Every structure is written in C-alpha cells, then in structure tokens.
Amino acid sequence: MREAISLANLSRTFWRRKSLIFAAAVLGSCAMLAAWQVMPKSYTAKGMILVKSDEIAVKELQGTFSAVAVDLPLVRSQAEALQSEGLIRQVVQQLRLHEDPDFNPPPPAWRAWLEERLSFASTASGPVDPVAAVADDIRKSLTAMTDGRSYVVHVEYKGKDPEKSALLVNTLMENYLQTQISGRRSASEAFNEELSQRLAVLRTKVDEAESRVRAFRREHSLVASPLGGSVDVQSVSELNTRLAAARAERAEAEARYQQALAAARTSSTSSAEVLASPVILALREAEAKLIEDRAELAARFTPGHARLASVETQLADIRARIQDEAADIIASLGHQAQVARAREQELNSLIASLHSEANESTGAADELRALEEEAKAHRQIYEAFLTSAEQAGSAQAVARADANVISWALAPVKPAGPGPATLAIFAGLGSMMLAFGGVMGREVLADRGFNSLEEVAALTGLPALAAVPALTKRQQSPARYVVAQPNSSLAETIRWSLAPLEPREVLESAGRTILVTSALAGEGKTTYAASLGRLMAQDSRRVLLIECDLRRPNLRRTVGGDQPYHLQDILERNCELHEALNVDPASGLHFITGRRQTTNPQSLLQSEAFQALLRDARRHYDHIIIDSPPVMHVFDPMILARYADSVVVVIRKGFAPRRDVGEMLRRLSSATSASVGAVLMRADGKTWDKGIYNGYN
C-alpha cells in the first residue's frame, strides 16, 4: 500500500523535484524580464492641490453669492471638477495635444485601408473631433482623488512621455485655479451691484419710518420716556408688577395663618410655622425627655409615687408653655396677613387712579409705540446688513481661488508600476508556487484508488478474484442484466469470481457463508452481492441473500421483494423466517431485506437470534451471502466477519483511496481468519484478459 500523505512525505517529494521547481522559478523570472523589456512604458506625473476654507458668508445674499465652508464633500466635488470634460478640452487646445502623435497617433495602415474601401463606415458616424477624442483618452488616464481624511486633492496622469505628462498636470491645475478666479470675480461684481441696491432700499425704509415717528410726536405733543413709551403707561405697568407681588405675599401669609389656626383648633402644634420655632423645638425635646423618664419610673414605681407625680407636673407645665408659644406664633401670623391685605388694597387704589388718568392718552401712546417698533426693526436690519456687507466687501477686494497648488508635477524618472527586479521576483515566486502546486497535486492525485486488477493484487496482496466490467448507460443495472444476459461478459465474470478464492470442493460445500463488503459506500457491494446470488440461484444452487446494511438498506430497490417483514422482525421474534423470506421470480434467489435502523444495530447482529438464523440457514441453503455495511464507516462488518467462511472485498475502480483500502484490510484481518479476496468493480470492459471473461454464446 502507498504511504499516507504527510508533511514529511511532501517535503521529500519537493526535495526530489527541487530541480524542476527551481527551473520553473528561473523560467518565470526570465519570461517576466523579457516581457518588461518589450512592453510599452508609462509614466505617472503627480501634483497636489490644497482646498482652502477662508470664505466669508453673507447670510442676507446667500441666494445670490454663497460661500460654503470647506468639508469633505466639497473636496470631492473639486476633485470631480478637475476631471471635467470642458477643463480637459481647454488644456488640449492650449497645449495643442491633438496635434501631438503621442496623444493622437495616426491610425494604423489596416484601418486606413479599410476606411478607404468602406467609405460608408466613416461617413455614417460623421467626422471625429480630434480635440474631443484626445480629451476623452486623457480623461481615462487622469485621476483626481482625496484620501477622505484631509483637504488635499491628488492629481495624477499616466502617459507615455514623462515631460509631457508633467506639463499636462501642471497646466490642468493652473487652468483650474484661473477658472475659479474668473468665476469668483464675476460673482464679486454681481454681488457688489446687488449690495448697493439692497443698502439703498433699506436706508430709504429706515428714513421713512423715523420720519413718521417724529411727525406723530409733534402732532400729539407726546414726550418720549427714557425707557420708551408713555410715562403713565409705564407707571401702571410697574404698579401692576408690584401688585402681583403683593397678592402673592398676601396669599402666602393667609395660607400660613389658616394652617396655624386649623392646627390650633385640633389642639395640635404640627403646622410648619409652629414646628420651625426654635422655642417649640426646645420644648418638644424637653417633653420627649420627660415622657421617656415617666416610662422608666412607671416601670419601677407604683402609680401615685412622689417621683412620678413630679414628672407629671413638669410634663403638664411644658405642654402649657408649648400651647402659649403656639398661640403667640398664630397671632404674629394673623398680623402679617393683615399687613399684606392692607398693602394690596393700597396698590389697587393707586392703580385705579392712574388708570383714569392714562385712559385719555392710551390710543395715541399705542400707535406711537407701534411706529417706534417699526422704525427700530428697520434700523436693526439695515445695520446688520451693513456690517455683513462691509466684511464681505473686504474679503472680495482681491479675487482668489478656493484652492492653491502645494506641489507642482515633476517629470517622473521611473516608469509607473513595479520595477523589473520586483516583477521578476514576483514572477519567480509565482512560478515556484505553481510548481509546488503541481508537485503537490500530482502527489495527492496519485492516491485515486486502484485502476486495474494488477494493482489490487500487487498492492493489497489479496487474491484478485475478478474485474467486473462497467455497463453502458443504455444497459440495465448489473443485477438485472446478469439475469437477462446470463452468457454476457458481466455474468461470466461474476459467476466465476469466487473460483480463485478457495478450492472448488470447499466453495461447493453446503452452508458456506460469504461476506460481501467494501471500504466506502457507493463501491457496488450490494450490486455484486445481488448479481452473485442471482447467478448462483440460476445455476440451481440454494442461495440465501441477507441484507445486513441496516443503516442504508438498498436491496429491495436492487432486487425487489414484497414481504412486509424484514431481518429485524425475525431477530425480534415478530415473525418466522419463512414470513420474511422473499423469492426472486427471475432467478429463484431467496433473500431477506433489512429495515432502516440507526440505533445500535450491532446489538442485533451479535445477538443469539442472528446466530440461530445463520445456523438454520446453513442447514437449508448451499450458500449464505451477507451484504455488509462499509468497513470504514461502521463497526458492523467486524461483527459479521466472525460468522463468514469467505470475505469478498468490493473495490470500485478509481474510487476508494488506497490508504482506506489498506485500513479496511487491517481491520478485517483482526476480526476474522476467513479467506479474503478482492473484486474490482466498473473495470474497463476491453481488458477482458485481466480478470474479465468475454462470455460465449
């Protein structure tokens, strides 16, 4: 068997192939150097523009002249403006790049020849503008971007000539700044014109409003108060404020007085004013102390004792003093409430007298106040606008761009992209990795199982029983095909597949048990077992096929069967053997199917009932074929191998890895001493002399 793939094995394989790997690396590096020498070079010229943020915003004219503070969206918009088609066309025309063969090369000869003979192809699309064509090509190679963290715009152009690339970038940045300056100058002129018009209109409104105020005062003989408005009206307003305060004081005083009275009527001193008195607090503390002493003496002396009577007398005296002090506080509160009511009444009388005097001039004063407020509003608008306009005017005195160049483009010395040494290194590494991958893939793909019967015999040491040929897609399944074509190469190969395993007299002895298994699922063990059983039954042998793959039962789909009972029913004493026995009408094969069971099927297979079933079958049948699960998946085949006289290992061509087949044989050798042989399934039918019988009619 082939050694398992490991890191050590791969290392040894790579060392054996070191010359191939090194040659691939050198060849890749040389190929990259040769390609770099012949490929056209391009040079990247780089410049940088810094976006400034020294604008003065005029809120009153934002609809006409808006100066926006710098932010990242503005920086990105300026980067987009640097790549605008109009600006690039301006540069193309200024530098006459449409006449430069580096930017506008002549068409190839084949294209000129084709256009000459197919004139309709060129006339259909119309004449091509060389300026627009060159500008479009430049735009594809031009980038203006920002890193998103600063106000710097990086301008890069990749061209064939380093000097021309740098000149193009510098001209583009210079023209962009000049375009901004021209735009700001035009905006400044329009701004100044509108500014003058708006200031004149606002000044006229202010003068008219102040003239109306002066005329109204003269007409009604009103004198202005230092605080603004009529003197009488201001006096009433002040008195109303004082009256509101007096009412609040009166309400508060009455509330305190009423609360104290209510507490006095209930013989309580719990009102806020009474409780806040320092004298009351001291008396309350003395009262609490006497109550505590009385309780202590009552526990020690009988009622009427002299000391208890003394404490009671002191306690009554303190409570009387508390009541007297509370009465004094209530009287003081009543006096305060009376004073507050008198003050409120006085203010009411004064306000009533002023109202009668002010009623005569109220209408004129209200109208004057409205005129003064209107004039004041116009004055404030005018002064605010004038201040902002002066600030903006000073900022617009010199027209300048929103950005400036902080790095002019220089002619690049080296071509764009990685240098030849870097490319050669990466190409060598890439070729080396490809070589590593090829060697590793070959090593891994080498373990694709067995492809011939000779390989099976040579690498496993088992008797090579047969190479069962594969059927075409148009043919039936093998189990049905051997019945329909009993003299075919497939039928002959399976019929005599057991001959090399044991002597003829041993194989034909009654009650021989044959275990059919495989390393992995899908190798065709059930197909082989069903085909072998049908052929033996056709040859007038008494054959019983037992399906013991209880996790994935597949025999009913391969052969058929109509009995409602299965192998588990026999082992669990739910039915007799003949009740679960199916008979194949095409061949006479007797078989027992299994029911899917995933919960510990090993207990059934190693039970006394299963052994009894085999003993009974040996008395009635010549051959018992056991269809087993794959060895590499479950432990069931190790149990079944103990009951077998012969074991047939089914190996599908190019399917199960050799290491899995080797592990399967190791497990079987530890479980049984029966003879073991191998059958190669789906072999190439043309190699009839390598374990395949051609058949003969």
Side-chain angles (χ1 to χ4, degrees):
M1 297 299 292
R2 192 181 62 84
E3 296 181 2
I5 296 177
S6 63
L7 184 59
N9 292 338
L10 287 177
S11 300
R12 288 192 292 269
T13 302
F14 291 149
W15 179 251
R16 290 196 305 269
R17 301 292 183 178
K18 59 182 181 296
S19 300
L20 175 63
I21 296 173
F22 179 75
V26 173
L27 182 62
S29 300
C30 294
M32 179 56 67
L33 288 175
W36 186 85
Q37 291 293 336
V38 299
M39 68 174 56
K41 309 296 187 299
S42 59
Y43 299 85
T44 302
K46 302 178 181 180
M48 289 189 292
I49 290 180
L50 175 64
V51 178
K52 297 184 294 185
S53 59
D54 55 352
E55 303 299 333
I56 302 298
V58 184
K59 298 180 181 179
E60 292 79 0
L61 287 180
Q62 283 186 353
T64 303
F65 185 82
S66 177
V68 184
V70 173
D71 54 10
L72 292 181
L74 176 62
V75 177
R76 287 194 289 266
S77 66
Q78 294 219 19
E80 293 292 335
L82 278 164
Q83 304 177 80
S84 62
E85 184 177 358
L87 185 62
I88 297 175
R89 284 196 179 194
Q90 182 182 353
V91 174
V92 171
Q93 293 174 343
Q94 180 179 346
L95 299 179
R96 307 185 69 81
L97 299 180
H98 57 286
E99 300 175 0
D100 192 328
D102 287 339
F103 292 90
N104 189 20
W110 63 267
R111 182 176 177 181
W113 178 86
L114 185 63
E115 290 181 352
E116 181 180 354
R117 284 157 178 76
L118 302 175
S119 57
F120 67 89
S122 59
T123 57
S125 58
V128 178
D129 183 8
V131 175
V134 173
D136 186 61
D137 293 338
I138 291 176
R139 189 176 184 183
K140 295 176 182 177
S141 302
L142 178 69
T143 58
M145 56 186 178
T146 178
D147 58 5
R149 300 187 300 270
S150 66
Y151 299 105
V152 177
V153 179
H154 300 266
V155 184
E156 299 180 1
Y157 174 74
K158 184 182 292 185
K160 299 178 181 178
D161 188 276
E163 298 289 342
K164 295 177 182 178
S165 299
L167 178 61
L168 187 147
V169 171
N170 291 334
T171 306
L172 180 71
M173 294 190 298
E174 185 177 356
N175 288 1
Y176 176 69
L177 297 181
Q178 290 298 326
T179 302
Q180 281 200 338
I181 292 173
S182 300
R184 290 183 63 84
R185 185 178 292 113
S186 300
S188 178
E189 293 173 357
F191 165 74
N192 290 332
E193 182 179 356
E194 183 173 352
L195 179 64
S196 300
Q197 296 176 0
R198 294 287 295 273
L199 283 174
V201 172
L202 290 176
R203 183 62 193 178
T204 301
K205 291 183 178 180
V206 171
D207 293 341
E208 291 176 352
E210 292 180 348
S211 297
R212 287 195 294 270
V213 172
R214 290 192 296 271
F216 190 84
R217 287 185 183 280
R218 287 194 300 269
E219 180 181 354
H220 294 84
S221 301
L222 296 175
V223 179
S225 170
L227 299 177
S230 173
V231 176
D232 293 338
V233 174
Q234 289 181 2
S235 300
V236 172
S237 178
E238 294 174 359
L239 289 174
N240 281 329
T241 303
R242 292 170 58 189
L243 177 60
R247 286 176 177 170
E249 293 177 2
R250 187 262 306 165
E252 183 179 0
E254 288 181 347
R256 292 198 299 268
Y257 178 61
Q258 293 299 329
Q259 183 181 7
L261 287 177
R265 284 194 294 270
T266 59
S267 299
S268 173
T269 58
S270 59
S271 66
E273 296 295 333
V274 174
L275 293 176
S277 173
V279 177
I280 296 295
L281 291 175
L283 293 174
R284 285 293 189 188
E285 291 178 0
E287 181 186 14
K289 182 64 171 62
L290 288 174
I291 291 174
E292 183 179 353
D293 293 343
R294 184 181 63 181
E296 183 178 353
L297 292 173
R300 296 170 54 190
F301 303 103
T302 60
H305 194 272
R307 294 185 64 179
L308 277 174
S310 175
V311 170
E312 290 290 350
T313 303
Q314 295 177 23
L315 187 59
D317 181 58
I318 287 177
R319 287 174 176 172
R321 292 175 60 188
I322 290 174
Q323 294 297 329
D324 293 341
E325 183 65 25
D328 293 341
I329 293 173
I330 293 172
S332 176
L333 292 175
H335 178 69
Q336 292 177 9
Q338 184 177 2
V339 172
R341 284 193 294 271
R343 186 181 298 112
E344 181 183 0
Q345 292 175 0
E346 181 183 357
L347 289 174
N348 278 327
S349 301
L350 185 56
I351 290 173
S353 62
L354 286 176
H355 270 299
S356 62
E357 296 175 3
N359 283 335
E360 298 178 359
S361 59
T362 300
D366 291 342
E367 187 174 354
L368 176 62
R369 185 166 52 255
L371 292 174
E372 288 176 343
E373 290 177 356
E374 181 182 2
K376 183 179 179 181
H378 283 298
R379 169 67 66 178
Q380 290 175 348
I381 294 174
Y382 174 74
E383 290 177 352
F385 188 88
L386 183 61
T387 301
S388 298
E390 289 175 353
Q391 294 176 356
S394 62
Q396 298 300 324
V398 179
R400 50 189 175 182
D402 293 337
N404 64 299
V405 178
I406 60 174
S407 177
W408 295 97
L410 301 176
V413 179
K414 297 181 179 180
T422 304
L423 290 176
I425 291 174
F426 277 104
L429 291 176
S431 302
M432 186 178 297
M433 294 304 296
L434 288 176
F436 273 118
V439 172
M440 185 182 299
R442 185 178 183 276
E443 184 70 12
V444 172
L445 292 177
D447 189 9
R448 285 295 184 183
F450 299 87
N451 294 307
S452 66
L453 202 59
E454 290 86 351
E455 289 184 2
V456 174
L459 296 178
T460 63
L462 296 177
L465 303 182
V468 179
L471 296 179
T472 62
K473 295 181 179 180
R474 292 180 298 178
Q475 294 172 325
Q476 300 172 335
S477 66
R480 294 185 176 90
Y481 188 80
V482 294
V483 176
Q485 302 290 336
N487 296 322
S488 62
S489 60
L490 176 65
E492 291 294 334
T493 301
I494 296 177
R495 178 178 289 114
W496 298 106
S497 59
L498 296 182
L501 188 60
E502 292 180 347
R504 181 180 180 87
E505 59 272 17
V506 175
L507 285 175
E508 293 182 353
S509 60
R512 297 292 297 177
T513 303
I514 303 171
L515 177 68
V516 180
T517 187
S518 62
L520 303 177
E523 295 201 66
K525 59 178 181 56
T526 302
T527 300
Y528 173 80
S531 302
L532 179 64
R534 280 185 157 185
L535 289 172
M536 285 184 170
Q538 277 187 333
D539 294 342
S540 302
R541 298 182 188 179
R542 296 173 300 169
V543 182
L544 174 64
L545 174 59
I546 304 176
E547 183 178 29
C548 293
D549 190 353
L550 303 181
R551 289 178 173 83
R552 292 184 180 180
N554 196 32
L555 184 60
R556 186 179 291 269
R557 185 170 55 184
T558 303
V559 181
D562 54 0
Q563 293 295 341
Y565 297 103
H566 302 275
L567 175 63
Q568 292 94 322
D569 299 318
I570 299 175
L571 302 181
E572 293 171 357
R573 311 300 189 194
N574 295 328
C575 69
E576 297 296 330
L577 172 62
H578 67 276
E579 294 178 305
L581 197 64
N582 295 272
V583 179
D584 179 25
S587 63
L589 170 68
H590 291 191
F591 60 96
I592 301 173
T593 60
R595 182 177 66 249
R596 180 180 296 272
Q597 178 174 341
T598 58
T599 56
N600 195 20
Q602 293 94 340
S603 61
L604 291 177
L605 298 179
Q606 60 188 355
S607 64
E608 178 61 27
F610 184 76
Q611 299 177 33
L613 172 64
L614 292 180
R615 288 194 298 269
D616 189 26
R618 286 191 180 98
R619 290 195 299 269
H620 296 87
Y621 293 93
D622 298 326
H623 299 282
I624 299 98
I625 302 175
I626 300 176
D627 182 17
S628 164
V631 174
M632 298 301 294
H633 291 298
V634 292
F635 186 73
D636 302 5
M638 306 300 102
I639 300 173
L640 297 172
R642 303 170 187 170
Y643 312 132
D645 300 315
S646 304
V647 179
V648 177
V649 174
V650 175
I651 302 174
R652 178 178 169 182
K653 176 186 175 183
F655 186 79
R658 297 175 182 178
R659 58 178 178 273
D660 290 343
V661 175
E663 177 62 18
M664 172 190 65
L665 297 179
R666 186 192 67 79
R667 296 181 183 181
L668 287 175
S669 64
S670 64
T672 181
S673 59
S675 57
V676 181
V679 172
L680 183 67
M681 295 293 289
R682 298 192 183 185
D684 186 359
K686 296 179 181 179
T687 58
W688 58 274
D689 56 336
K690 303 292 180 63
I692 298 178
Y693 291 88
N694 254 4
Y696 184 74
N697 292 322

